[in-house]
Amino acid sequence: MKTTFPIIGMHCASCARLIEKKLKKTPGVMDAAVNYGSEQATVDFDEKISDLKTIGKAVEDIGYKAIVAPEKKSRGAGSGSAMTPDQMKEEAKKKELADLKIKVVFSSILSVFIVLGSFPEWFSIFMPPYVLLLLAIPVQFWAGWGFYQATWSGLKNRAASMDTLIAIGTSAAFGYSLLNVLTQKPTLYFDTAAVIITLILLGRFLEAKAKAHTSDAIKKLLHLQAKTARVIRDGKEIDVPIEEVNVDDTIRVRPGEKIPVDGKITDGSSSIDESMVTGESMPVDKKAGDPVIGATINKTGTFLFLATKVGSDTMLAQIVTMVAQAQSSRAPIARLADVISSYFVPIVLILAAATFVIWYDFGTFSSAFTNMIAVLIIACPCALGLATPTAIMVGTGRGAEHGILVKDAEALEIAHKTKIAVFDKTGTLTRGEPKVTDMAFMDNLEKVDEVKAAIAALEKNSEHPLSRAIVSFIRPPLAGSQEVVLRNFQAIEGFGVKGIVNELPVLIGNKKLMEKEGVTGSSELDKKAHDWMSEGKTLAFVAIRKKSVALIAIADTIKTEAKEMVDGLKRMGIAVWMITGDNEVTARAIARQAGIENVMAGVLPQEKAEKIKELKNDKKSVVAFAGDGINDAPALASADVGIAMGTGTDVAIESAGVTLLNRDLRSVVTVFTLSRATLSIIKQNLFWAFGYNVILIPVAMGVLFPITGWLLNPALAAFAMAASSISVVGNSLRLKGVRI
């Protein structure tokens, strides 16, 4: 049996590795994978040997919480009902965040007093050593208790992490200070231990807060579904909850209503807005026999349809599943700091122990203990831990100045590796709304203004988006200045409109309507029609007295900055692709305008994520995807870097790691530029942080003593550690001046 469940309490990739190691050792577990990014574990186990309760206990034995089974709500009206795993995770995360907040505030206040008390010449009267001890105890053993738990769990499982060094380093500083208080010696390091614990807890609080809304995208997807359906049963129309709709139920949908489930029209016709699912702005005309998609919106007509897919089988439910799977399967970036620390921590511990033994053999206990503390304090991975987050914080702030919201730090980290950028067409590369691009009339046509007025008079009575585009193109002053009398208006679903304007029969619609009504064509207009169709434009023919007199071309126009953006990406060595559910002709026409050679057309909504995965596998490259619609959510989650347009749906935005709030496509180039600059700073930080330890740890061990007679005092070690952290922060701040 294979199952996935949330885990509470992870705060670094080392935690994920520890849990994964423990799970794999659990009897009956065949395989286990723990994703730190999504805070989930996927376990494949033999039900004959193990069960979820045993697996959950294995996780809890090493200090984490596994949410593997429902439990009863403890309060409220529904106290007798079971909580879902998602609800349990949400409650646990809220409690974790609240606990961290209390510890950060409490330890911050105490640390301020401890730091002030470390200047005896100023505050010795108010804060003598024993007062500093009393202030440091709750910071060390209450606020910092989690470090001890993690260290103990790691040791039991033969694993060490940054928590191990933090626990040992701060404990050594605290213990040495305690010894000096008892022996009335002046050298104290309570401030070092307290500040380290406080800063690290603050970082974890900020991380936990950022992850508090990871499930919002799925919730919003589910809210798109209609709550009820008007079902015909026993000859009567009744409203039933969406959960009670069955396959083969006949359902009535009226104008403006959401279609409750997937099905097929049996009677009637309408124009349906499928943009929330397909991403395409043009409403789709539907008639008997055509399929309809649940959660889409009926625009004009009333129709009956037969339910073919309900519950988890609907397209919306499948999209929800794909988003969830993509989010949970996204591999966390192996942070260089964690990789270094996995080797660094045990080496430091060995070196500290060796320092104590060597100096105890050749010196005194005091010198041995002092030098060991110097090694532990100077090796405390504060700079190593700050190297990445400080650069990310400054980088994300720099992005915000340019209208770029970085929700997922991993996206900013990995974006610099992008070799392929894929763009959705509608609403991303294009404006996402129909617009008249061309209008042509017969060469010998008289009274063109009167014809325009007649067109406007007909189209303003239609609610179709194409009609609104035509009316907005024919300026209202012109349309209103003409005396027009309209009668016998008729909207022909799927074809167009017709009516009598000033006693003249006027017909506006597609080619099929012209043929159906026996309209006499025009060679010059037919030539324009052929040219405009090759450009991917939608055509509306105008006929008066069954003679073709005008032609209107409508298209979803490309954004003005699209070409500049594509050129910028190409200069960066990034290949640009376009993906769309639209037809090949229209797709190619838009791609040519943007300067894009690689096009994937006719792609169904549920296929977009698979196409992204295929690109990743076939090209062996990091792939970025930019989109705006609900249908784009699985692809945004599947891509290595998901970029959502600020004009897009909430679901698309929350599925992406980066959102362009300024709606400017050129900001896509800025995302990659910013990522490259940030990663350069991170590498510099890591180099300095690691280099600092490589150089100064031997000094702390006393390698210079035989030559210079000089030993590194723990106070200087603490200063050096602080200096390394300040240098890392200062280097990260250089991002503010980077030109992007």
Side-chain angles (χ1 to χ4, degrees):
M1 177 180 176
K2 196 170 187 178
T3 185
T4 299
F5 53 86
I7 292 180
I8 305 299
M10 292 191 294
H11 49 74
C12 68
S14 298
C15 298
R17 289 196 296 269
L18 177 61
I19 298 170
E20 191 172 293
K21 187 177 180 179
K22 178 67 174 179
L23 286 171
K24 288 180 177 179
K25 291 182 178 179
T26 304
V29 174
M30 295 175 285
D31 193 22
V34 180
N35 189 322
Y36 168 59
S38 63
E39 298 180 300
Q40 288 186 318
T42 301
V43 180
D44 191 2
F45 65 99
D46 188 341
E47 293 179 90
K48 296 178 181 178
I49 302 175
S50 188
D51 54 28
L52 288 175
K53 187 177 180 180
T54 303
I55 292 170
K57 188 176 184 302
V59 175
E60 292 174 359
D61 285 344
I62 54 174
Y64 304 93
K65 181 175 176 60
I67 303 176
V68 296
E71 60 187 31
K72 300 294 182 180
K73 291 184 178 180
S74 59
R75 64 183 189 276
S79 59
S81 61
M83 295 179 69
T84 66
D86 286 340
Q87 290 172 326
M88 293 163 63
K89 179 183 178 181
E90 191 172 340
E91 288 291 322
K93 291 298 292 183
K94 286 181 180 178
K95 185 178 182 300
E96 181 187 37
L97 195 62
D99 290 344
L100 271 173
K101 185 177 181 179
I102 294 171
K103 288 181 178 180
V104 168
V105 172
F106 190 75
S107 61
S108 296
I109 295 171
L110 293 182
S111 294
V112 169
F113 286 104
I114 295 170
V115 170
L116 292 175
S118 299
F119 298 91
E121 64 274 15
W122 296 346
F123 298 97
S124 58
I125 299 175
F126 306 101
M127 284 178 283
Y130 68 87
V131 173
L132 297 180
L133 171 62
L134 294 175
L135 293 173
I137 287 174
V139 178
Q140 188 72 36
F141 299 107
W142 176 68
W145 184 245
F147 301 123
Y148 290 102
Q149 284 183 314
T151 299
W152 177 242
S153 298
L155 292 175
K156 287 195 299 182
N157 291 274
R158 299 178 182 180
S161 66
M162 293 174 74
D163 282 344
T164 308
L165 278 185
I166 293 166
I168 295 176
T170 58
S171 296
F174 180 88
Y176 184 78
S177 301
L178 174 62
L179 180 64
N180 285 348
V181 170
L182 296 176
T183 57
Q184 297 184 350
K185 293 181 179 179
T187 307
L188 303 176
Y189 303 108
F190 291 127
D191 57 332
T192 300
V195 169
I196 289 172
I197 290 172
T198 301
L199 288 175
I200 293 172
L201 288 177
L202 176 61
R204 292 183 180 179
F205 170 75
L206 295 174
E207 182 181 356
K209 192 174 182 180
K211 290 182 176 182
H213 304 289
T214 54
S215 63
D216 286 355
I218 301 236
K219 292 178 183 176
K220 289 184 179 181
L221 275 174
L222 293 171
H223 289 161
L224 292 173
Q225 192 176 42
K227 306 302 180 193
T228 62
R230 188 172 291 106
V231 180
I232 299 177
R233 292 176 181 172
D234 300 326
K236 297 180 179 179
E237 293 186 10
I238 56 173
D239 290 335
V240 301
I242 193 71
E243 296 82 10
E244 296 181 11
V245 177
N246 302 316
V247 174
D248 293 334
D249 273 343
T250 298
I251 302 168
R252 182 181 297 278
V253 183
R254 293 172 179 163
E257 293 181 341
K258 285 184 179 180
I259 297 171
V261 296
D262 296 359
K264 183 178 291 186
I265 295 178
T266 56
D267 184 41
S269 59
S270 185
S271 179
I272 297 174
D273 180 2
E274 296 184 341
S275 60
M276 61 170 41
V277 175
T278 66
E280 299 300 320
S281 59
M282 299 287 190
V284 182
D285 294 320
K286 302 278 188 175
K287 61 184 185 301
D290 290 338
V292 291
I293 304 170
T296 58
I297 300 173
N298 181 32
K299 300 292 288 186
T300 55
T302 298
F303 61 87
L304 298 174
F305 77 96
L306 191 71
T308 57
K309 293 181 179 179
V310 300
S312 61
D313 295 328
T314 63
M315 181 177 290
L316 180 64
Q318 290 174 3
I319 290 175
V320 170
T321 301
M322 283 190 287
V323 172
Q325 289 176 344
Q327 289 179 337
S328 62
S329 65
R330 182 186 293 171
I333 296 174
R335 303 195 184 279
L336 188 54
D338 289 322
V339 175
I340 294 173
S341 67
S342 65
Y343 297 98
F344 179 71
V345 173
I347 291 172
V348 170
L349 293 175
I350 293 171
L351 292 175
T355 300
F356 180 85
V357 171
I358 293 170
W359 279 97
Y360 187 73
D361 286 342
F362 293 96
T364 64
F365 175 84
S366 178
S367 62
F369 190 68
T370 300
N371 291 334
M372 182 188 71
I373 291 175
V375 171
L376 290 170
I377 290 177
I378 208 164
C380 198
C382 208
L384 201 60
L386 289 171
T388 298
T390 55
I392 293 294
M393 287 175 65
V394 179
T396 53
R398 189 86 168 101
E401 294 174 3
H402 291 263
I404 300 168
L405 175 63
V406 180
K407 190 189 71 173
D408 183 0
E410 288 186 359
L412 187 61
E413 287 190 42
I414 201 174
H416 77 290
K417 298 180 181 178
T418 300
K419 294 299 180 183
I420 299 173
V422 184
F423 292 85
D424 174 53
K425 178 181 74 69
T426 305
T428 303
L429 290 172
T430 67
R431 300 186 183 280
E433 58 184 23
K435 182 181 178 181
V436 174
T437 59
D438 306 275
M439 181 178 285
F441 298 89
M442 292 284 293
D443 289 340
N444 60 351
L445 184 67
E446 299 179 356
K447 301 180 179 178
V448 171
D449 285 349
E450 291 182 10
V451 173
K452 287 183 177 180
I455 295 171
L458 266 179
E459 296 288 16
K460 71 180 182 181
N461 284 275
S462 172
E463 296 180 357
H464 200 284
L466 298 185
S467 297
R468 292 197 294 269
I470 293 171
V471 173
S472 65
F473 180 79
I474 301 172
R475 301 194 180 276
L478 173 64
S481 65
Q482 306 296 316
E483 293 290 335
V484 293
V485 178
L486 173 66
R487 59 185 179 89
N488 297 343
F489 171 82
Q490 183 182 354
I492 309 168
E493 297 288 345
F495 293 94
V497 295
K498 67 179 185 179
I500 307 297
V501 182
N502 293 342
E503 303 304 321
L504 295 175
V506 181
L507 193 67
I508 307 173
N510 55 27
K511 190 70 172 178
K512 290 182 179 179
L513 180 61
M514 300 297 115
E515 293 173 352
K516 181 181 177 182
E517 296 289 335
V519 172
T520 303
S522 163
S523 58
E524 59 188 271
L525 293 181
D526 287 343
K527 185 179 183 304
K528 288 185 180 293
H530 179 270
D531 294 340
W532 291 348
M533 284 183 66
S534 66
E535 297 173 4
K537 297 175 180 179
T538 300
L539 303 181
F541 295 84
V542 182
I544 297 178
R545 290 177 177 172
K546 296 195 175 185
K547 294 182 67 174
S548 185
V549 297
L551 180 65
I552 304 170
I554 306 164
D556 184 7
T557 57
I558 193 169
K559 294 178 179 177
T560 54
E561 71 272 15
K563 181 70 165 59
E564 184 180 346
M565 179 270 297
V566 172
D567 291 341
L569 292 179
K570 289 180 177 180
R571 286 194 297 270
M572 299 177 75
I574 299 174
V576 184
W577 289 65
M578 187 181 79
I579 188 169
T580 179
D582 215 336
N583 62 77
E584 185 80 20
V585 174
T586 301
R588 291 287 178 185
I590 294 294
R592 282 195 299 272
Q593 296 178 49
I596 300 174
E597 292 85 20
N598 308 300
V599 178
M600 292 180 282
V603 180
L604 296 175
Q606 59 267 38
E607 295 176 342
K608 284 189 177 181
E610 288 301 319
K611 292 292 183 182
I612 297 299
K613 292 177 183 177
E614 288 175 11
L615 273 180
K616 289 167 64 175
N617 295 330
D618 294 345
K619 304 296 182 179
K620 306 296 181 184
S621 299
V622 173
V623 176
F625 176 79
D628 70 313
I630 290 173
N631 65 306
D632 298 326
L636 285 165
S638 298
D640 297 298
V641 182
I643 304 173
M645 306 304 296
T647 53
T649 63
D650 290 342
V651 174
I653 290 172
E654 293 201 25
S655 299
V658 179
T659 301
L660 305 184
L661 298 176
N662 59 10
R663 308 175 184 181
D664 192 333
L665 276 174
R666 289 169 294 191
S667 294
V668 174
V669 179
T670 306
V671 170
F672 297 118
T673 304
L674 181 62
S675 175
R676 294 181 179 187
T678 303
L679 261 294
S680 176
I681 293 293
I682 289 175
K683 289 177 181 178
Q684 293 171 19
N685 286 348
L686 289 172
F687 176 81
W688 165 248
F690 187 63
Y692 145 84
N693 282 293
V694 169
I695 295 171
L696 291 185
I697 287 177
V699 175
M701 293 177 66
V703 295
L704 296 180
F705 183 77
I707 303 171
T708 65
W710 184 74
L711 291 172
L712 183 61
N713 188 283
L716 291 176
F719 177 80
M721 183 197 68
S724 70
S725 300
I726 293 171
S727 67
V728 165
V729 174
N731 192 48
S732 297
L733 290 172
R734 292 198 305 114
L735 274 171
K736 290 188 174 183
V738 173
R739 186 176 179 181
I740 57 176

